[in-house]
Amino acid sequence: MRVIFIGPPGAGKGTQAEKMVAKYKLAHLSTGDMLRAARDAKTEIGVEAEKYMSSGQLVPDDVIIGVISERLKQPDCAAGCLLDGFPRTTAQAEALDKMLAENASKLDVVLELRVPDEELYKRLSGRGRADDKPEVIKERLVAYNNQTSPLLDYYGKKGLLKTVDGLGTVDDIFIRIEKILDEYAV
Ligand code: AMP
C-alpha cells in the first residue's frame, strides 16, 4: 500500500509514522529525515537545503523532487511506502503523480493528521530542535497553511483524503489510523 501522511509541524506525525511503518511493513520515506541526513553529511543538497530549513521555509521543489524520485526507485519501496513530509506543495504532488504513473503504481490513501494551531504552538515550544525556535515555528506553520494545506483539496477532489483527529494519546490516535489503513492492508 502507498500512503501519504500530511500534517502540520508538531502534529505528532513522526511518532505515528513509526507505528505505521512497523505495523504495515512500509518503507518510511521522510523527506525531513533525508534532508537532515544530507545536511549533517554536508552534501551539496544538504548544504543548500539547510538555508531554507533553518528559517522554516520549504526547500525548492526541484531539489526535493530530485531526492524523492531517486528514493522511490529503491527496491524496498515496491512492497509499499509511507510518504512522510512529501509532497508539501501542489507542484510536488503533480510531480509525484507523474512518477507513480511512470511506474504504473498509484496511491491508496492520503491521511491528514489534524491539530488546531494553538495546540501546535504549545507542543512545538517544548521540542528543542534547532528549527523549533518560536520565529522558525511560526514560519513553518505559515508554510504549511499557505503551501501544503491546498493539497488537502487536491487529494480530496481525487477521493483519496481521510482526516484523522490528532488530539488525544498516541495510542488513541493510532487506533484511528488503523481503522483507516486496515482497509488497504494486504
Ligand atoms: P520535517 O521534518 O518534515 O518537518 O521537515 C523539516 C524541514 O525540511 C522543513 O521545514 C523544510 O524546510 C524541509 N522539507 C522537508 N520536506 C520537504 C518538502 N517535501 N518540500 C520542501 N521542504 C521540505
Side-chain angles (χ1 to χ4, degrees), residues 50-129:
E50 174 60 8
K51 295 184 211 157
Y52 299 91
M53 294 165 78
S54 60
S55 62
Q57 290 173 302
L58 296 183
V59 308
D61 286 333
D62 55 338
V63 172
I64 198 74
I65 288 167
V67 168
I68 203 85
S69 70
E70 285 310 307
R71 184 64 186 86
L72 276 172
K73 288 179 198 151
Q74 301 299 310
D76 64 328
C77 298
C81 68
L82 179 70
L83 288 162
D84 172 7
F86 180 93
R88 265 202 175 60
T89 64
T90 306
Q92 292 179 19
E94 288 167 353
L96 176 64
D97 282 346
K98 235 189 244 170
M99 289 177 225
L100 292 172
E102 278 162 14
N103 285 314
S105 56
K106 61 172 189 54
L107 294 168
D108 291 290
V109 62
V110 177
L111 278 184
E112 176 205 2
L113 190 58
R114 188 173 287 179
V115 174
D117 274 5
E118 317 85 77
E119 174 69 17
L120 295 173
Y121 276 109
K122 239 192 284 168
R123 292 186 192 178
L124 284 162
S125 341
R127 236 162 53 163
R129 224 167 68 181

Side-chain angles (χ1 to χ4, degrees), residues 132-182:
D132 282 346
K133 289 188 274 248
E135 62 282 12
V136 181
I137 294 172
K138 189 156 167 266
E139 207 46 55
R140 291 169 62 209
L141 279 176
V142 168
Y144 182 80
N145 289 327
N146 291 345
Q147 292 169 276
T148 305
S149 67
L151 294 183
L152 302 175
D153 205 36
Y154 181 90
Y155 289 117
K157 283 186 178 137
K158 290 178 187 277
L160 290 171
L161 185 70
K162 305 268 183 189
T163 296
V164 173
D165 175 2
L167 293 178
T169 66
V170 168
D171 289 343
D172 287 341
I173 297 164
F174 192 61
I175 290 169
R176 294 173 199 146
I177 292 175
E178 284 176 306
K179 279 202 184 118
I180 296 168
L181 292 191
D182 280 351

Side-chain angles (χ1 to χ4, degrees), residues 2-71:
R2 264 177 220 87
V3 183
I4 290 179
F5 199 21
I6 298 184
K13 235 161 26 83
T15 309
Q16 297 298 331
E18 293 302 337
K19 293 173 78 72
M20 284 154 73
V21 298
K23 169 159 183 188
Y24 299 101
K25 312 234 179 319
L26 305 171
H28 186 188
L29 275 54
S30 159
T31 45
D33 285 351
M34 291 175 207
L35 292 173
R36 279 184 288 276
R39 173 195 65 195
D40 295 347
K42 298 195 165 59
T43 66
E44 201 177 320
I45 285 176
V47 171
E48 171 71 7
E50 174 60 8
K51 295 184 211 157
Y52 299 91
M53 294 165 78
S54 60
S55 62
Q57 290 173 302
L58 296 183
V59 308
D61 286 333
D62 55 338
V63 172
I64 198 74
I65 288 167
V67 168
I68 203 85
S69 70
E70 285 310 307
R71 184 64 186 86

